[in-house]
Amino acid sequence: MDKQNGACALKGIVTNTDAALVVGASGGIGSAVLQCYLQDTRFAHVIAVSRGPCPGDFSRHHERLHWLRSDYSEASIASITHALAGKGIALRSIVISNGILHNGDLQPEKALEKVSGDAMATVFAANVIVPALWVSHLARLLQRSARCNIAVLSARVGSISDNRLGGWYSYRTAKAALNMFLQTAAIEYARRAPGVKLVAFHPGTTDTALSRPFQKGVAEGKLFAPAFVAQRFLCLLQGLEPDGKLSFLDWDGKTVPW
Ligand SMILES: NC(=O)c1ccc[n+]([C@@H]2O[C@H](COP(=O)([O-])OP(=O)(O)OC[C@H]3O[C@@H](n4cnc5c(N)ncnc54)[C@H](OP(=O)(O)O)[C@@H]3O)[C@@H](O)[C@H]2O)c1
């Protein structure tokens, strides 16, 4: 495994210890989840995966943190999960927080004429393909695992029955596809790794770079701090039993309709 994709940072890990993993650890919600994991001493190891470097001297202050760089290519994801398997780590809680709504080149579409194949492919790559590859490569790692939650950041706008406003074609479609991937994976996980519980999570509108251009219309009290969302989210996860099904839950613990 090369340095860019997480090799050396795994050296200190010893076998058979409980660990938490956050993928997309530099994001607003991902980094808040990481902070919660680091405060939770049940995890002997906290593994963070990101495209970017570990911020500042973060790892010096957190000895349990293992920060791995990834370009999210299939080879990188395979390489990291393979290395984790080799270390005999017992993953207990996994949060995958990747997703984009906009960037310098693309904006959520307000009309059909704005739909572009290139933009849609970019949105699908971050919101569907990257999380799907993680869930897929983690399966081999988790089959012997006693209990583990895998939570993937979805969004209410991916709900087909809840869609009354329209617009945001690529992002909505990507989150609906992500949900279908996770539902399909939950069926296979139930057979191969019955201790694993899969969750698609809607965080509510959270104050991060992703939502920032779209926060104007948010009702008072409905724009959440990432730290609040991360705490609610991890608290909710702790209360869930593996039942072989995908749960689509919001920040308040309520089921979101498909
Ligand atoms: N904020 C909200 O109001 C809101 C509402 C509903 C759903 N969500 C969902 O919550 C998740 C986290 O979003 P956020 O609000 O924390 O946004 P954010 O601060 O913009 O974080 C974006 C996340 O996506 C990853 N990412 C960015 N570009 C990527 C790319 N090209 N390929 C793969 N991964 C990429 C980043 O990982 P790195 O660490 O590698 O940079 C980071 O984890 C997303 O799935 C989003 O759809 C957010």
Side-chain angles (χ1 to χ4, degrees):
M1 193 160 51
D2 61 47
K3 272 195 178 169
Q4 164 68 17
N5 288 318
C8 310
L10 280 173
K11 272 187 186 149
I13 294 182
V14 291
T15 54
N16 296 325
T17 48
D18 285 359
L21 166 68
V22 55
V23 180
S26 294
I29 294 173
S31 57
V33 167
L34 176 62
Q35 289 289 358
C36 289
Y37 277 154
L38 287 167
Q39 282 158 20
D40 188 337
T41 50
R42 287 171 308 161
F43 300 121
H45 297 284
V46 177
I47 299 150
V49 178
S50 178
R51 295 165 303 167
C54 185
D57 55 358
F58 209 59
S59 23
R60 221 162 7 103
H61 288 111
H62 296 285
E63 287 179 351
R64 290 148 58 237
L65 172 63
H66 306 267
W67 186 281
L68 310 179
R69 303 280 299 273
S70 174
D71 59 8
Y72 300 129
S73 62
E74 193 163 359
S76 163
I77 294 168
S79 175
I80 289 174
T81 49
H82 183 76
L84 290 173
K87 297 288 178 190
I89 286 163
L91 285 171
R92 299 292 179 217
S93 186
I94 299 169
V95 171
I96 300 169
S97 68
N98 301 78
I100 58 169
L101 172 60
H102 59 90
N103 65 22
D105 299 324
L106 66 90
Q107 290 297 322
E109 313 90 342
K110 290 188 183 150
L112 284 166
E113 287 75 10
K114 298 285 182 192
V115 173
S116 121
D118 286 348
M120 197 177 241
T122 302
V123 171
F124 263 64
N127 288 284
V128 190
I129 297 172
V130 169
L133 287 173
W134 280 101
V135 170
S136 160
H137 282 272
L138 284 164
R140 206 175 307 125
L141 194 64
L142 291 171
Q143 41 204 346
R144 287 161 299 159
S145 169
R147 281 288 294 273
C148 183
N149 295 315
I150 305 180
V152 183
L153 269 295
S154 182
R156 189 185 296 279
V157 296
S159 163
I160 290 175
S161 54
D162 191 66
N163 182 2
R164 289 174 197 93
L165 284 177
W168 293 20
Y169 284 90
S170 297
Y171 185 71
R172 278 186 191 279
T173 312
K175 292 300 192 190
L178 171 70
N179 290 348
M180 178 56 92
F181 181 91
L182 294 174
Q183 168 64 16
T184 310
I187 292 167
E188 187 171 339
Y189 263 95
R191 183 168 44 78
R192 291 175 55 176
V196 173
K197 172 70 187 169
L198 271 105
V199 179
F201 183 70
H202 168 64
T205 308
T206 309
D207 188 10
T208 66
L210 182 140
S211 71
R212 213 146 284 145
F214 310 99
Q215 292 177 358
K216 258 194 227 143
V218 180
E220 208 180 317
K222 289 290 180 195
L223 178 64
F224 302 134
F228 166 79
V229 167
Q231 276 157 18
R232 293 291 306 219
F233 182 22
L234 294 179
C235 203
L236 269 174
L237 285 183
Q238 273 176 35
L240 297 175
E241 290 296 321
D243 56 1
K245 292 178 190 149
L246 173 70
S247 297
F248 187 11
L249 298 175
D250 72 8
W251 61 275
D252 203 17
K254 296 202 176 81
T255 295
V256 183
W258 295 118

